Amino acid sequence: MSSSRFSISSVLLSYFLVAGGIAIGLLAAGQLKLTSELGLYGVLFLGGAIGGVIAARASRGSTVIEPALGAVLVIATLVGVFLGTGIGELLWHVAKDAIVKTVGYAAAAAAVGAIVGAIGAERLWSGHSSSPLVWAVYIAIAALGACIVAMVVLVGGAAHGATDDDALAGLFFGAMALGSVLTGLTVGASAPRRLLVATLLGVVAGVMGFYLLLRELPGTSAGDDDKAAAGFAIIGVGCGLLAMAGAAIAWTLVGKKARG
């Protein structure tokens, strides 16, 4: 049953979905080898739009308020971390003044895309899917977004001391674990039904997406061989189990009551 009431859990889910859409945009930029700023901003707009569309479809209420707030909050988080810490200089070796301009334009492109996508989705479709397969896709994108946000925050907080590969690897693994737990909690609170298996499969897919994105980051060593991919898949299963536990708890405490 759909509700038009404002939902905090839908805002949190939208937050991760928009971040996941942005991550998909960054992956596309890496695969296309985009070098122009205009091309990057265009891809981020499309990535934000993807996140906005899915956030609107996953939102419990028939409103764009939750996806729009999620977009604003994720952009505020990323901009705040990049401008308030040394993470941009650490990853890109770019002066802070240049980062201000780049991050500002990129954030604006992604935020506008997310809001446009959310508005378009609400106008084009009515109702919200309860299919486990559809939600597995939502969860995969949310898990990818949650891992990205957790990574940015963790690396940003330790930017001056986490410059060696071992320290960065620890932060990446911590980001995957934290992102997966947060995904499970938000899905359990937001989904129209209990979705434990879909949560497991979605989080595994999201972690593998996170692995692909790490391969595109300069100065990182996620690896590109079969052994590294298999290792991330195993980690993804562990993260999926953590997410399942979080989803079960949140469904019992929040989601089931809201659904009832």
Side-chain angles (χ1 to χ4, degrees), residues 29-43:
Q31 292 299 312
L32 295 173
K33 308 298 183 185
L34 292 179
T35 57
S36 70
E37 287 190 5
L38 185 60
L40 175 62
Y41 299 146
V43 168

Side-chain angles (χ1 to χ4, degrees), residues 38-197:
L38 185 60
L40 175 62
Y41 299 146
V43 168
L44 287 176
F45 174 87
L46 292 176
I50 291 171
V53 167
I54 297 175
R57 300 293 296 136
S59 175
R60 180 176 286 125
S62 56
T63 174
V64 299
I65 294 176
E66 290 94 336
L69 280 176
V72 170
L73 290 173
V74 73
I75 295 306
T77 300
L78 297 177
V79 170
V81 172
F82 271 83
L83 300 187
T85 70
I87 184 174
E89 296 168 280
L90 171 66
L91 291 178
W92 298 330
H93 307 291
V94 177
K96 197 165 188 177
D97 290 342
I99 294 171
V100 171
K101 176 183 175 181
T102 301
V103 172
Y105 287 154
V112 171
I115 294 172
V116 169
I119 293 173
E122 287 295 339
R123 290 186 175 181
L124 290 174
W125 292 288
S126 60
H128 303 277
S129 177
S130 61
S131 166
L133 291 178
V134 172
W135 269 86
V137 175
Y138 295 168
I139 293 165
I141 297 174
L144 173 59
C147 288
I148 294 301
V149 171
M151 181 195 75
V152 169
V153 172
L154 290 175
V155 174
H160 298 294
T163 56
D164 61 274
D165 288 344
D166 290 340
L168 285 174
L171 289 174
F172 293 151
F173 292 140
M176 286 186 284
L178 178 59
S180 298
V181 171
L182 292 174
T183 299
L185 291 172
T186 53
V187 167
S190 305
R193 56 191 292 188
R194 190 173 68 169
L195 298 169
L196 299 185
V197 175

Side-chain angles (χ1 to χ4, degrees), residues 177 180-181 200 203-204 207 232-244:
S180 298
V181 171
L200 172 63
V203 168
V204 171
V207 167
F232 269 81
I234 294 171
I235 293 169
V237 172
C239 289
L241 294 174
L242 288 175
M244 283 179 66

